[in-house]
Amino acid sequence: MTFEEIKRQEQQNMMPVFFRFPVALVSGKSATAVDVNGKEYIDFTAGIGVNSLGWCDPEWSAAVAKQASAIQHLSNLYYSPVQTAAAEKLCELSGMSKVFFANSGAEANECALKLARKYGQDRLGPECTEIVTLKNSFHGRTVTTLAATGQDEFHACFAPLTSGFSYAEADMESIKSAVTEKTCAVLLELIQGEGGVVPMPESFVKDLRAFCTEHKILMMVDEVQTGIGRTGAFYCYQNYEILPDVVTSAKGIASGLPLGACLCAEPFASVLGPGMHGSTFGGNPVACAGALVVFRRLASPEFLNGVKAKGGYLAEKLEEMPGISSVRGMGMMIGAQPAHGSAAAIAAKCAEHGLLILTAKTVLRLLPPLVMTKAEADKGLAILRKVLDTLEAS
Ligand SMILES: *Cc1c(COP(=O)(O)O)cnc(C)c1O
């Protein structure tokens, strides 16, 4: 099929909800992808932070293929050894006590929100079901996670949304005025991804941890984008040296297969009981087989130090570029503010020149595969530099 045929098939048959680049990818290796015409691209996106081990890592591909030919699905009415092994490893790496497996970030957050409401009713009082989230946050696309998302642009068109949410700025003054006697939880990202790669200040995160403990409010951290090694720690809260009460995870967790997780600390281990939550596909064995490879690789301190080093290298090179005015982020989650031109136009030009890069608000957003080589990084940086230079010259 030619690219034009693929594009026509998409337009004729699919809901037009996505802004797509004129690129159809068919294969890939490490951080290099190949399109339908055989053109190569350096990948600074990893899906959207999903392919943590890059395109078709050999160990990952073998484990997934093996699982797919042993048993591809069983309902959650039965035990699955690959699912229980993934749960054990994830609890160990996160320091959390229990996990529920879902299929996506939004679903992981749905579990956290249900857990919070149940916790509030059980332990604080029947009215205590309200949840505070941050302005500029992003928590998903379901009706309830849209309500949790503190950005008006996402709310338009879909009223009525789930009630019981209020929104605060990322500072303790604002949190204190949003929290009422009915609040059961605060949910936040430690680096707002869709919000433009905005890291939370360390003092705010530590003060919020202490405040939540003092008021018996759950501190719930959405690590859907920041988790699974992305920031140089297994979970970003480990960089902040705090332990949340509830953590949600997805995107990079199975390096490209749909898996989400909602984790909770020991005191909340039995808030959700039998029959209160579930999922048909959640914790699918093929996805869990992929996740086990990710967990095994990320358990090594050298791997995580490598992420820090690669992220530091990328950030340093971006800072040196004349077309970039500022750089922020942590590990391999980086936002680069272009000095001129829109991030979207730059990303489109990069794709033409063989570089896949994301945007978030006004910044260029980099979420490369964690296994990206230096040669790939240099090649991608050179393309970006060329695109920015042309923009500067025009
Ligand atoms: C992507 C994302 C989500 C939603 O994940 P889906 O898998 O698309 O449902 C939720 N929270 C954060 C922080 C995200 O980056």
Side-chain angles (χ1 to χ4, degrees):
M1 258 205 297
T2 66
F3 176 72
E4 287 310 319
E5 285 166 343
I6 297 164
K7 188 172 167 183
R8 183 185 44 77
Q9 214 168 41
E10 197 264 4
Q11 281 173 347
Q12 282 182 4
N13 301 290
M14 298 185 73
M15 290 193 197
V17 298
F18 296 109
F19 298 102
R20 294 191 204 263
F21 290 91
V23 174
L25 301 174
V26 293
S27 66
K29 200 168 168 276
S30 185
T32 306
V34 181
D35 78 4
V36 70
N37 298 317
K39 176 176 161 184
E40 286 195 359
Y41 298 81
I42 294 296
D43 179 23
F44 280 2
T45 72
I48 301 180
V50 168
N51 299 334
S52 35
L53 302 180
W55 307 98
C56 305
D57 172 85
E59 189 194 354
W60 177 90
S61 292
V64 166
K66 191 171 164 218
Q67 186 61 45
S69 29
I71 186 165
Q72 83 278 29
H73 168 82
L74 59 154
S75 77
N76 279 309
L77 299 172
Y78 307 103
Y79 291 93
S80 157
V82 58
Q83 187 187 74
T84 52
E88 182 177 73
K89 201 75 198 151
L90 188 55
C91 287
E92 187 185 308
L93 290 165
S94 64
M96 291 284 125
S97 168
K98 295 279 189 287
V99 60
F100 172 82
F101 284 124
N103 309 286
S104 66
E107 279 179 281
N109 283 334
E110 289 274 348
C111 177
L113 298 167
K114 283 176 74 175
L115 188 153
R117 285 180 165 188
K118 175 72 171 30
Y119 162 83
Q121 289 172 43
D122 283 358
R123 311 221 186 147
L124 305 176
E127 306 264 270
C128 300
T129 56
E130 289 183 3
I131 294 161
V132 174
T133 67
L134 297 190
K135 291 174 187 168
N136 200 46
S137 58
F138 181 80
H139 298 296
R141 300 276 192 169
T142 62
V143 173
T144 299
T145 56
L146 272 183
T149 294
Q151 299 189 60
D152 290 339
E153 61 187 271
F154 287 97
H155 294 177
C157 317
F158 304 111
L161 296 179
T162 307
S163 60
F165 290 92
S166 58
Y167 313 101
E169 302 287 350
D171 65 67
M172 284 314 297
E173 274 319 292
S174 185
I175 293 279
K176 283 173 188 166
S177 52
V179 166
T180 69
E181 68 283 356
K182 294 183 182 168
T183 304
C184 61
V186 176
L187 170 67
L188 79 162
E189 299 151 272
L190 296 176
I191 305 173
Q192 291 172 337
E194 304 306 312
V197 191
V198 183
M200 294 296 114
E202 192 179 342
S203 60
F204 167 63
V205 173
K206 293 204 152 124
D207 290 350
L208 180 63
R209 174 64 283 184
F211 176 83
C212 288
T213 304
E214 186 191 341
H215 295 272
K216 300 189 167 60
I217 295 169
L218 297 184
M219 181 181 189
M220 310 205 295
V221 174
D222 178 344
E223 293 255 13
V224 171
Q225 193 159 148
T226 50
I228 318 297
R230 178 56 53 194
T231 67
F234 187 76
Y235 279 124
C236 189
Y237 61 78
Q238 293 161 332
N239 289 323
Y240 286 87
E241 296 174 325
I242 59 144
L243 207 58
D245 300 313
V246 175
V247 178
T248 59
S249 193
K251 289 201 165 93
I253 194 167
S255 195
L257 292 174
L259 186 69
C262 175
L263 293 137
C264 69
E266 180 58 31
F268 317 103
S270 57
V271 171
L272 292 177
M276 288 179 191
H277 198 47
S279 169
T280 296
F281 287 114
N284 168 276
V286 180
C288 285
L292 271 173
V293 176
V294 172
F295 299 161
R296 200 176 319 128
R297 296 269 276 279
L298 266 64
S300 131
E302 294 88 75
F303 188 101
L304 293 177
N305 287 336
V307 172
K308 278 190 200 128
K310 289 179 211 184
Y313 178 75
L314 284 170
E316 185 191 310
K317 294 290 162 190
L318 288 165
E319 264 159 19
E320 287 167 13
M321 282 189 200
I324 298 293
S325 62
S326 65
V327 178
R328 55 186 188 244
M330 232 183 256
M332 292 176 87
M333 179 170 184
I334 301 172
Q337 185 70 57
H340 313 281
S342 80
I346 294 166
K349 268 271 170 267
C350 284
E352 272 175 40
H353 288 84
L355 172 66
L356 307 176
I357 191 164
L358 299 161
T359 63
K361 294 280 169 76
T362 65
V363 300
L364 293 164
R365 178 172 42 149
L366 285 76
L367 300 170
L370 306 179
V371 299
M372 187 173 64
T373 64
K374 181 166 181 296
E376 287 170 328
D378 285 336
K379 220 164 143 183
L381 287 164
I383 295 170
L384 177 60
R385 189 176 192 124
K386 192 167 80 187
V387 167
L388 292 170
D389 286 350
T390 345
L391 209 83
E392 202 119 304
S394 64

